[in-house]
Amino acid sequence: TPPLQPFAIRFGDDNATLEPQGQILQRRMSDLEGLFADRRAWEQAVADGDPVVYTVVSSPVPEVSRELPQSITTIFPGDTGGEFWMTKGHQHPDPQGEIYLGLEGRGGLLLFDGERAEWLDITPGVIGYIPPGWAHRSVNVGDEPYRFLAVYPGSAGHDYGWVLTHGMGLRARRAEGTVELVPFGTP
Ligand code: PAN
Ligand code: ZN
């Protein structure tokens, strides 16, 4: 594929979309099997209407080498068995850096390199830096949608199996108006 030509990308209404827009992805509760610690609560949530937990809206920049794709993730507010709603989380098989820019709401960026876990608070105007080799998951810790822009190298790839095998080091739980980070337990 030849490189793209220069073009402007704008934030749409409510910072929810990118214009022009590429693909839109929707993750429902049923897509998140094996990720929440409380499997019963997860099954119940799937049975109770299988809500959309997050969406990812991309610009038309393709995921190919040398290009720099971007997307806006919106995680809706909620918890399942006390664990805040979150993304699946992944590693980049070709380890490269990535940045997240907070746009709306209150979120957290959980990072795990297989041994150490880190938590970054992400609010509008904050950039979270994800170094190469750190698996990452986003969490909505607020009462409104949490949105952020992600920018990452097009050749990085996405490995979702890694998190199922290794876990993420910590879990983010709702606790009396605040966030409690607890050990992950057995993945
Ligand atoms: C983000 C994520 C997005 C959804 O664009 O892909 O927030 O999370 P999952 O991919 O873990 O479902 C990113 O980190 N891209 O590399
Ligand atoms: Zn990523």
Side-chain angles (χ1 to χ4, degrees), residues 25 27 32 35 54-56 58 63 69-75 86-92 98-100 109 130 136-138 148-153 156-160 163:
L25 204 118
R27 293 275 184 232
L32 306 183
L35 299 181
Y54 63 97
T55 61
V56 184
S58 302
E63 290 192 349
Q70 331 84 34
S71 57
I72 291 177
T73 300
T74 300
I75 308 176
M86 60 192 182
T87 59
K88 292 173 80 167
H90 59 266
Q91 269 287 21
H92 294 293
E98 174 166 11
I99 59 162
Y100 283 4
L109 171 51
I130 303 165
H136 39 286
R137 163 177 287 166
S138 295
F148 63 93
L149 177 79
V151 185
Y152 55 98
H158 291 84
D159 177 359
Y160 292 95
V163 169

Side-chain angles (χ1 to χ4, degrees), residues 3-5 18-19 27 36 39-40 54 74 133 138 153 163 185:
L4 296 187
Q5 294 300 301
L18 292 170
E19 296 163 1
R27 293 275 184 232
F36 290 99
R39 186 174 175 94
R40 281 282 169 80
Y54 63 97
T74 300
S138 295
V163 169

